[in-house]
Amino acid sequence: MAATTSAYDPGPPPGPVPAAPRAALLVLADGRFPAGGHAHSGGVEEAVAARRVVDGATLEAFCRGRLHTAGLVAAALAAAAALGTDPVALDRAADARTPSPALRATARRLGRQLLRTARATWPHPELDALASAFPRGAHQPVVLGAVVRAAGLDGADAAHCAAYESVSGPASAAVRLLGLDPCDATRVLAAVAPAVDRTGAEAVRAALRVPESGTGALPAASAPLLEIGAEAHAGWPVRLFAS
Amino acid sequence: MHLHHDTEPHGHHGAASGGGHPPVRPDGTRRALRVGLGGPVGSGKTATVAALCGALRDELSLAVVTNDIYTREDAEFLLREGVLAPERISAVETGACPHTAIRDDISANLEAVEDLEDANGPLDLVLVESGGDNLTATFSRGLVDAQIFVIDVAGGDDVPRKGGPGITTADLLVVNKTDLAPYVGADLARMAADARLRRGGLPVVLQSLRAPDGVREVAAWVGARRAAWVAHP
Ligand SMILES: Nc1nc2c(ncn2[C@@H]2O[C@H](COP(=O)(O)OP(=O)(O)OP(=O)(O)O)[C@@H](O)[C@H]2O)c(=O)[nH]1
Ligand SMILES: [Mg+2]
């Protein structure tokens, strides 16, 4: 029998390819993006020690709580930065929304690490300007929004990335801290994914109000136990994670 | 016992950048040489760092970055020993994964190096210790310019034979605690021969830090690397 060629025919090109970048967001949101996140637990180390997080179900509750508080605030800050709001004003807004000095220090350290990696990844004059304005680091969500801009992404991308990070960090830390089945941790992330999407959308709506109403339009939800836990954790002599 | 006097640069030289300092400072001089020390738990990395500081601090402006698994033991040991002023020692927290912090995500280490330079002025040499990890933990070339892998005779004299990237590719392999060989029945000649076999022409030093000036050969190797580094801007 004569060899037949494949029946597959891609056909003519389908017209202009949509220009919206998407893969850059995957690069940025990848847990392996080398910006220091691996050394931080997002408060889950303290919650594990206090036995508030012991398994997949309690990890999910922790993640939902963090998403709707710190995650929402981070997502709105990131979206506003991505939409071009002045980073100095946003950084002040982030300070005002972060009562714990330990968490403020962590946010700045992670912002500085992210900026270092991003400037090597997506060189952009706005990132250089941000680095000169904040040599010791700006709050990580503010930097994230600026990086999203430099990567050609938009406010919704920034919000989703920040909201997702607010739960993905604790989930991977819980795998190390509890010996949790990694599939359980990933299932938790899938279960909270619709809430991550809703949080991202809510954050963008708030960020869109900033040009008219100022940074006061940004959400100021806070999780007192995360703030208190972070202060306690910072004083531990022996710990696996930096925060 | 220095098996090879080979101080030629190996590997990718001057490649360390990774969003870190450019190899040349604005005034045209080369930035500090960064040397990583890795190897299994308890092999003598911190003791080697402390001895190197003692041997080199009079001629070079030095700083140390430690990467502990879950404590600040290494940094605190160096502080207690008083080998360097406290502002020359910085501890990076690694989220229980030193190998990640020295290889896959070096941002915190690069920052620590930058902060040490800011606090102490131009440095000649920065030693970066990785907390004891496994035999596959090696440093990124974006973080260090040369790496030393430290094993000890008490960890088993078959470790050089087993190989792994640290043993085979480090710029210098140190077999430490030779003073313990008689007590643990380790065959030093065999360790040296196996290491030579695994490493092609790369140098190996057998040392005991219990001996007077036990770190001499490693200090000489670091000094030669530093001289070669400064000579090619
Ligand atoms: N007998 C002997 N003991 C040594 C020698 N070098 C180091 N030690 C001892 O070995 C122990 C471990 O040394 P460290 O320098 O802390 O080892 P390390 O590799 O830094 O350990 P981690 O950072 O925990 O992985 C200490 O008690 C040292 O005093 C040596 O040459 N001979
Ligand atoms: Mg040590």
Side-chain angles (χ1 to χ4, degrees):
Chain A
M1 209 166 86
T4 53
T5 53
S6 164
Y8 173 69
D9 174 8
V17 177
R22 178 171 269 179
L25 179 59
L26 300 179
V27 173
L28 187 57
D30 188 333
R32 286 164 298 188
F33 191 79
H38 69 96
H40 297 264
S41 81
V44 95
E45 182 168 32
E46 193 278 334
V48 164
R51 302 206 46 81
R52 289 193 300 277
V53 171
V54 294
D55 56 13
T58 45
L59 173 64
E60 182 174 335
F62 178 93
C63 285
R64 286 186 191 281
R66 189 163 196 262
L67 173 66
H68 289 125
T69 52
L72 173 65
V73 172
L77 288 163
L83 292 168
T85 309
D86 171 26
V88 175
L90 286 175
D91 192 71
R92 273 203 298 269
D95 260 346
R97 285 160 176 74
T98 315
S100 151
L103 285 182
R104 290 201 295 273
T106 295
R108 288 186 187 287
R109 183 177 315 158
L110 286 173
R112 185 174 165 203
Q113 287 177 243
L114 172 58
L115 191 53
R116 170 192 297 281
T117 302
R119 288 172 78 196
T121 311
W122 292 288
H124 195 285
E126 285 185 18
L127 297 185
D128 297 342
L130 189 57
S132 339
F134 293 96
R136 307 292 309 166
H139 277 258
Q140 194 269 1
V142 178
V143 176
L144 179 63
V147 172
V148 158
R149 273 168 81 78
L153 298 163
D154 66 18
D157 294 322
H160 278 78
C161 193
Y164 177 65
E165 278 180 0
S166 77
V167 294
S168 61
S172 60
V175 170
R176 284 190 229 164
L177 288 161
L178 291 171
L180 196 65
D181 181 337
C183 295
D184 286 343
T186 304
R187 199 160 42 229
V188 165
L189 291 177
V192 300
V196 170
D197 288 331
R198 284 192 300 274
T199 301
E202 185 183 340
V204 172
R205 283 195 299 275
L208 287 170
R209 289 195 296 271
V210 170
E212 198 179 308
S213 314
T215 54
L218 296 171
S222 106
L225 260 186
L226 278 180
E227 303 279 338
I228 294 165
E231 287 300 307
H233 183 267
W236 291 4
V238 174
R239 56 180 184 236
L240 292 185
F241 290 88
S243 78
Chain B
M1 191 182 328
H2 197 164
L3 299 182
H4 300 275
H5 274 278
D6 182 357
T7 50
E8 283 304 298
H10 289 286
H12 332 250
H13 264 271
S17 67
H21 290 175
V24 180
R25 297 190 183 104
D27 69 2
T29 59
R30 218 150 191 212
R31 62 148 171 77
L33 177 73
R34 305 198 293 243
V35 177
L37 292 98
V41 178
S43 61
K45 298 176 292 297
T46 305
T48 301
V49 167
L52 282 173
C53 290
L56 298 170
R57 70 187 163 206
D58 293 339
E59 31 177 315
L60 299 176
S61 177
L62 285 176
V64 174
V65 179
T66 63
N67 286 264
D68 273 327
I69 302 189
Y70 51 80
T71 61
R72 299 167 49 88
E73 290 276 325
D74 285 342
E76 271 155 24
F77 175 84
L78 295 170
L79 288 171
R80 270 199 314 278
E81 292 290 292
V83 293
L84 287 179
E87 64 274 15
R88 290 179 179 266
I89 300 170
S90 173
V92 166
E93 289 179 289
T94 65
C97 286
H99 56 268
T100 305
I102 62 161
R103 184 186 56 207
D104 309 304
D105 181 350
I106 57 177
S107 53
N109 270 286
L110 289 172
E111 214 139 84
V113 172
E114 202 169 278
D115 288 349
L116 286 166
E117 289 238 347
D118 286 349
N120 297 288
L123 298 170
D124 299 318
L125 175 67
V126 179
L127 301 173
V128 184
E129 179 185 344
S130 168
D133 205 302
N134 55 50
L135 292 174
T136 64
T138 51
F139 286 84
S140 163
R141 292 283 173 186
L143 176 59
V144 301
D145 306 299
Q147 49 194 315
I148 301 176
F149 202 73
V150 183
I151 59 173
D152 69 355
V153 304
D157 62 5
D158 52 350
V159 169
R161 186 181 51 75
K162 288 186 197 155
I167 304 274
T168 57
T169 68
D171 299 288
L172 177 66
L173 177 69
V174 174
V175 180
N176 191 32
K177 309 192 192 177
T178 53
D179 54 300
L180 298 181
Y183 307 103
V184 298
D187 180 344
L188 289 178
R190 177 177 153 208
M191 291 185 89
D194 287 344
R196 224 184 346 249
L197 212 62
R198 285 279 170 210
R199 289 174 52 75
L202 292 173
V204 181
V205 168
L206 278 73
Q207 75 175 8
S208 165
L209 294 176
R210 292 286 182 266
D213 202 15
V215 81
R216 183 184 61 252
E217 287 176 75
V218 176
W221 183 87
V222 170
R225 287 305 285 244
R226 157 83 193 145
W229 174 253
V230 183
H232 318 225

